Amino acid sequence: MRPKVSFVVLNWNNFKDTKEIVQCLERLDYPNFDIVIVDNDSRDGSARMLEDCFPEHPFIRSPVNSGYSGGNNLGIEYALRMKADYVAIVNNDIVIDNDKLLAEVIAYMEDSGAEILGPKIERLETRETVSVYNDSPWWNLVRKVMVKNRRTREDDAQEEYNSLLLLGAFLVIKSEVFGTIGKMNEDFFMYCEENELLLRANLHRVAISYYPQVKVLRKMGKDERNYHIRRLYYMSRNKIHMFKLHSSGWSLLFLLFINFVSDVKKIVRFLFEGKFAFAATIVKGVIDGTGHVTGINPRYH
């Protein structure tokens, strides 16, 4: 019997994309998987439409909008109760055009010992690769400082470790990993939660692999290419939460400083462009991050 895989697909007011990714997953050529659909308190009728469209799949309704982290945690908990060997967290804006993808991923993970895997992810519109945060000099520096800081305090700074920060839009995670590092941190609500999860995995020496031999596509339209209010707020706030969780002392001060410089540059640019609401949103995110405001902010929903 091949290992059992549970896909977790989160819906929030988006019947079209959620339906399309579930249909993509249904076409996968693999003998032992299920698809867990979690609705995050949608108000547009999409939950009922999805239940009617896919009665054969487990369906979980969250009584509140618990964000990307909380919604996925509901699906992860269900998958673990159902004894899944692997949990695959998949955004509903992902497109899969390779029916053998899951078979190839699980074969690689079983052979290599990888415990968390991310495939190559390309923008659907441009085919630009957007798979790993390590490709960003800013994120690469942040990751190195946070991981080294925590490892040094454990007198373990010299040990070899895998320190990839993968994009959270498609992650396959061995079920035992959740028992070691826990699930997604619901304080983040949305944005940066996968970075924080992978940082915890780094600290526990979980084997993380980027596997570009398989590829998925991601719909990243205009709202994703440009800054928008909700993303600006949660990114500005949650980066500070992440720094405080995974660094201290001079490392924390250094991270807060380079983050401050980055945010000031964005604020100045938005002011020159006349995007005053964008600039104000970054300021609000920084204030809330510094003050440890967590969870949902209804103002941005």
Side-chain angles (χ1 to χ4, degrees):
M1 176 70 72
R2 301 295 298 277
K4 180 181 178 181
V5 181
S6 285
F7 286 97
V8 177
V9 178
L10 185 62
N11 176 67
W12 185 62
N13 296 331
N14 191 347
F15 171 75
K16 180 178 181 294
D17 282 345
T18 305
K19 178 183 177 182
E20 288 176 0
I21 182 56
V22 172
Q23 290 173 332
C24 282
L25 296 174
E26 288 178 330
R27 291 193 290 268
L28 291 173
D29 184 8
Y30 187 82
N32 193 16
F33 73 93
D34 61 12
I35 303 168
V36 183
I37 304 171
V38 180
D39 182 76
N40 226 351
D41 194 31
S42 295
R43 300 303 176 91
D44 64 345
S46 57
R48 178 186 53 78
M49 290 188 288
L50 288 167
E51 278 191 295
D52 291 344
C53 195
F54 302 110
E56 69 276 24
H57 298 313
F59 196 94
I60 300 170
R61 283 179 180 256
S62 175
V64 296
N65 180 3
S66 52
Y68 187 81
S69 50
N72 276 306
N73 281 345
L74 290 174
I76 292 167
E77 290 163 3
Y78 177 89
L80 297 178
R81 288 198 303 271
M82 295 297 105
K83 308 299 183 184
D85 298 298
Y86 292 89
V87 179
I89 300 168
V90 184
N91 274 23
N92 64 354
D93 57 6
I94 289 292
V95 176
I96 299 171
D97 58 3
N98 172 12
D99 293 349
K100 301 290 186 182
L101 177 141
L102 184 57
E104 294 172 13
V105 164
I106 297 303
Y108 174 80
M109 294 184 76
E110 291 285 292
D111 291 344
S112 68
E115 296 171 285
I116 299 179
L117 179 142
K120 183 178 183 180
I121 301 176
E122 294 181 352
R123 290 179 186 265
L124 178 64
E125 299 83 2
T126 65
R127 301 306 168 103
E128 173 192 359
T129 300
V130 290
S131 304
V132 288
Y133 286 103
N134 297 60
D135 289 341
S136 161
W138 192 92
W139 273 110
N140 200 30
L141 175 62
V142 166
R143 182 263 308 168
K144 286 181 178 179
V145 171
M146 285 190 287
V147 173
K148 181 175 176 56
N149 175 258
R150 294 290 292 273
R151 291 280 174 124
T152 300
R153 286 192 283 138
E154 296 170 8
D155 297 321
D156 200 16
Q158 302 306 314
E159 183 176 320
E160 291 292 326
Y161 55 90
N162 192 333
S163 54
L164 282 173
L165 286 183
L166 303 168
L167 198 68
F170 194 114
L171 290 175
V172 183
I173 304 174
K174 201 165 188 176
S175 293
E176 289 90 339
V177 169
F178 294 107
T180 302
I181 68 172
K183 299 184 288 295
M184 289 187 173
N185 188 329
E186 297 186 19
D187 284 348
F188 285 74
F189 190 76
M190 61 189 300
Y191 293 109
C192 293
E193 66 286 302
E194 79 273 27
N195 305 120
E196 198 277 327
L197 181 75
L198 290 168
L199 282 165
R200 274 184 276 141
N202 278 316
L203 295 172
H204 287 86
R205 301 163 188 80
V206 171
I208 305 171
S209 291
Y210 170 51
Y211 190 52
Q213 285 80 357
V214 297
K215 177 189 72 177
V216 299
L217 304 173
R218 189 180 183 195
K219 305 170 190 173
M220 299 178 74
K222 185 175 181 180
D223 281 347
E224 285 290 343
R225 287 196 298 269
N226 300 316
Y227 289 105
H228 55 83
I229 294 292
R230 184 182 300 140
R231 181 175 184 271
L232 278 174
Y233 171 74
Y234 285 109
M235 285 291 288
S236 301
R237 187 192 77 176
N238 290 344
K239 283 186 295 181
I240 296 174
H241 287 335
M242 185 171 61
F243 297 158
K244 291 193 290 187
L245 282 172
H246 290 280
S247 60
S248 61
W250 287 107
S251 295
L252 175 59
L253 291 175
F254 174 72
L255 290 171
L256 291 174
F257 173 74
I258 63 171
N259 185 66
F260 174 77
V261 172
S262 174
D263 283 343
V264 167
K265 288 180 179 178
K266 292 175 189 172
I267 290 168
V268 170
R269 176 163 63 87
F270 287 142
L271 290 174
F272 271 107
E273 293 173 354
K275 298 177 180 178
F276 303 114
F278 285 12
T281 298
I282 294 178
V283 173
K284 176 62 174 171
V286 170
I287 291 171
D288 285 356
T290 304
H292 200 67
V293 175
T294 61
I296 188 172
N297 187 327
R299 176 179 178 180
Y300 299 101
H301 294 269

